[in-house]
């Protein structure tokens, strides 16, 4: 076991240093493959039930139904994390490990311009100017781009799936822009958005009184309930 955890005494292996990323990436891939296979089986079942041609796996992967289902979920995740990044910048929750301290200065609030001469500082910090402005907001920018991209994918896939149903029932087809104004689009979005903010709300409040020893998301087990931050 020690061979798997360390390259040599005192040094962690690459896998150990990146274990959190690897575990989540592997679980994501397994769940994504499971979603693809299960969704295709549902598509095949529906086609047989309605005496229609069965889609190939590739046909299912390029269908509006698959794109809508995938991007609909991704957009809610990126919205959740992006908004959480913003909200935790300005708002506080007394006693929660998810909040910055109420009275003490938080390291995240330090002005990076004061560290521009530090040789170990990231390049944008040493460079300053526009590069630094973008870098100090880069986490939010990333989630914003991913959210907008997921919305676009949801609209394109959702409109395609919506139009298929419309044609089958003799209804009028819509453009992607018109699909944005349908109740269908907002139902698909809101049913995911509400669950994401529910989880965050529970997490913020639960960490005031509950603990998980060893987790970076929890305060120390012996910390008082009023301690804010981890």
């Amino acid at each position: 076991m020690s061979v798997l955890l360390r390259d040599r005494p005192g040094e962690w292996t690459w896998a150990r240093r990146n274990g959190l990323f690897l575990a989540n990436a592997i679980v994501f891939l397994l769940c994504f493959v499971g979603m693809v296979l299960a969704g295709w089986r549902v598509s095949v079942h529906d086609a047989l039930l309605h005496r229609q041609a069965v889609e190939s796996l590739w046909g299912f992967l390029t269908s509006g139904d698959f794109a809508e289902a995938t991007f609909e979920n991704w957009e809610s995740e990126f919205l959740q994390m992006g908004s959480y990044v913003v909200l935790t910048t300005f708002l506080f929750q007394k006693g929660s490990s998810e909040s910055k301290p109420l009275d003490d200065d938080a390291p995240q609030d330090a002005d990076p311009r004061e560290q521009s001469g530090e040789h170990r500082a990231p390049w944008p910090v040493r460079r300053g100017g526009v590069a630094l402005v973008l870098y100090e907001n880069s986490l939010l920018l990333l989630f914003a781009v991913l959210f907008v991209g997921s919305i676009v994918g949801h609209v394109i896939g959702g409109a395609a799936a919506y139009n298929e149903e419309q044609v089958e029932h003799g209804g009028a087809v819509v453009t992607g822009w018109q699909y944005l104004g349908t109740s269908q689009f907002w139902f698909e979005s809101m049913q995911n958005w509400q669950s994401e903010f529910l989880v965050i709300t529970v997490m913020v409040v639960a960490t005031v009184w509950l603990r998980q020893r060893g987790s970076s998301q929890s305060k120390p087990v012996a910390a008082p309930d009023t301690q804010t931050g981890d």
Side-chain angles (χ1 to χ4, degrees), residues 202-216:
V202 171
M203 184 67 175
V204 168
V205 176
T207 57
V208 175
W209 297 284
L210 305 180
R211 310 283 190 269
Q212 180 57 55
R213 184 179 178 184
S215 175
S216 65

Side-chain angles (χ1 to χ4, degrees), residues 4-229:
L4 297 175
L5 299 180
R6 299 177 185 273
D7 289 320
R8 53 181 178 266
E11 292 189 8
W12 295 112
T13 63
W14 182 88
R16 175 66 172 175
R17 292 192 302 271
N18 297 279
L20 191 58
F21 161 74
L22 290 173
N24 280 279
I26 290 170
V27 172
F28 161 72
L29 291 174
L30 291 175
C31 290
F32 188 77
V33 171
M35 170 188 165
V36 169
L37 296 178
W40 182 41
R41 290 290 299 274
V42 170
S43 173
V44 170
H45 175 74
D46 286 346
L48 294 175
L49 192 63
H50 294 89
R51 302 179 185 278
Q52 297 173 338
V54 173
E55 269 185 326
S56 66
L57 177 58
W58 176 251
F60 172 70
L61 286 172
T62 56
S63 68
D65 284 328
F66 178 75
E68 181 274 320
T70 300
F71 288 111
E72 169 194 331
N73 282 276
W74 289 5
E75 80 183 34
S76 65
E77 303 297 338
F78 296 135
L79 173 64
Q80 176 207 57
M81 295 308 300
S83 63
Y84 198 51
V85 167
V86 174
L87 293 175
T88 52
T89 301
F90 303 104
L91 303 179
F92 303 86
Q93 178 59 54
K94 182 178 179 180
S96 176
S97 67
E98 297 295 302
S99 170
K100 292 187 295 186
L102 289 172
D103 302 316
D104 300 329
D105 293 333
Q108 298 91 333
D109 292 331
D111 189 346
R113 290 155 187 81
E114 297 176 358
Q115 303 295 321
S116 60
E118 173 60 52
H119 73 280
R120 296 184 62 187
W123 173 81
V125 175
R126 291 181 276 113
R127 174 71 176 181
V130 176
L132 177 54
V133 172
L134 292 175
Y135 184 66
E136 64 185 353
N137 295 285
S138 56
L139 189 58
L140 173 60
L141 290 173
L142 170 65
F143 283 118
V145 169
L146 293 173
F147 172 68
V148 172
S150 297
I151 284 283
V152 172
H154 179 185
V155 168
I156 294 173
Y162 181 83
N163 285 333
E164 285 182 13
E165 288 195 14
Q166 290 291 94
V167 170
E168 288 179 5
H169 296 89
V173 299
V174 298
T175 63
W177 185 253
Q178 291 171 325
Y179 180 66
L180 269 173
T182 65
S183 298
Q184 180 68 25
F185 170 79
W186 289 106
F187 174 70
E188 292 166 351
S189 294
M190 292 295 180
Q191 68 175 328
N192 286 285
W193 295 4
Q194 56 86 22
S195 64
E196 301 300 335
F197 286 100
L198 172 63
V199 170
I200 287 296
T201 301
V202 171
M203 184 67 175
V204 168
V205 176
T207 57
V208 175
W209 297 284
L210 305 180
R211 310 283 190 269
Q212 180 57 55
R213 184 179 178 184
S215 175
S216 65
Q217 301 303 301
S218 170
K219 293 185 294 186
V221 177
D225 292 341
T226 54
Q227 178 178 311
T228 303

